[in-house]
Amino acid sequence: RGRVLGLMEQCRPCEFKVYSDATIETVKPGSNLDGGLDFWSHPLSGGALTAHLHASASRPHEAVGATYSSSDQPFCRIDVIDLASGRVRKTHGVDLRCPVMLHDCALAGDDVVVFDFPLTVRPARMLSDKFPVEYEPTHGARIGVVHRETGATTWAAVEPGVVLHAANAHFEGDTLVVRALRSLPATPSSFIASYTPAFLYEWRIRGERCLGEKYISETACEFPAVDPRCVGADAPCCFAISPRTIGGPNIYGPPSEGILIDRVVKFDLRGDGDDAFADAWTLPENFWLVSEPTVVPKSDGRLGDGVWVLVFGTSTAPARQKTHVYVLDGEDLASGPACVVELPGAGLP
């Protein structure tokens, strides 16, 4: 029943099985989900699926994602996947003004929130020995609301920037509240040539109008996540990981400028203070985060922070290269891990 998928940007997913003895078996290295992924929008890879799928609290049996293409309209595709069978139930094409790196989306009730922001993808740049993805603020930015069943789309113009990862979205009456990580690259190539910090940002949208937008924290962070019981609803808080240092070479790029991340942070999304930062825990010395946070509800936990937050940390100390799984209490990150599991044989290559 169901499928386990490994997702990667602009590629078909890898389908695999995980057994109770920790054995992993590859089933299909480039699955098209039984023909559910369009070939011609990604002719080089034979189809593609987004790196981020989301299941809303109101429809936990379905996963939804937004995949972008640079070959032809529609440059955005919304896929609705039945989680019981792993098959694509419905697909909507969404026309964009030009191809953009639409890495993530958000859910709000029955709607899908897409970010048509000016991290444009223009393959012709490669003819000038440039990377095809650049920040192009004159292109403008807008947030789209796509109905999951009909594909009907409404757009609202917003301030330009870059949004790679969404935290969550929900409706307050007829006003859409969207929270995501927004950054402002200094140059067109900043996304590739150097790291640009991202901060938690909020938009309030009604129909085709953005009523207001603002940063809600001064804490730089990456990979936001909420309690899965709150996806698409009014989440009380969200979790993320926060960099300690920015700079230095990165052999795994892009970007070619690296960062070191050693802190798990929590943001209060319902507070009325100037900054939504609420709590944090820092890894032990010489350990660095190498994963996104995974949020798992406690069996009797309250919505929002009644969860366990799981992260992977790897040591860089030559004498003790190790990788740990840290299990943190979402109600009190600062108290430290409730459990630490050392992974056998895991360390830096």
Side-chain angles (χ1 to χ4, degrees), residues 116-119 135 137 140-141 158-163 182-185 215:
D116 182 11
F117 277 58
L119 198 58
Y135 179 54
V158 297
E159 292 295 319
V162 170
V163 171
R182 176 177 180 262
S183 60
L184 282 174
Y215 284 106

Side-chain angles (χ1 to χ4, degrees), residues 176-254:
L176 174 67
V177 181
V178 182
R179 292 165 180 136
L181 301 187
R182 176 177 180 262
S183 60
L184 282 174
T187 67
S189 62
S190 288
F191 172 72
I192 302 302
S194 61
Y195 175 77
T196 303
F199 301 86
L200 196 59
Y201 200 83
E202 178 184 278
W203 298 263
R204 290 183 174 266
I205 295 169
R206 184 177 300 154
E208 298 180 353
R209 289 184 55 220
C210 178
L211 304 179
E213 54 182 291
K214 63 179 180 178
Y215 284 106
I216 58 176
S217 179
E218 295 182 351
T219 298
C221 60
E222 296 290 346
F223 303 115
V226 301
D227 181 342
R229 298 170 297 177
C230 298
V231 173
D234 184 12
C237 62
C238 76
F239 302 91
I241 58 177
S242 182
R244 177 178 179 181
T245 63
I246 299 172
N250 176 16
I251 63 173
Y252 301 106

Side-chain angles (χ1 to χ4, degrees), residues 13 24 127 132 143 149 160 212 228 233 237-238 282 295 325:
I24 299 177
L127 300 176
I143 290 177
E149 294 300 325
C237 62
C238 76
T282 301
V295 179
V325 179

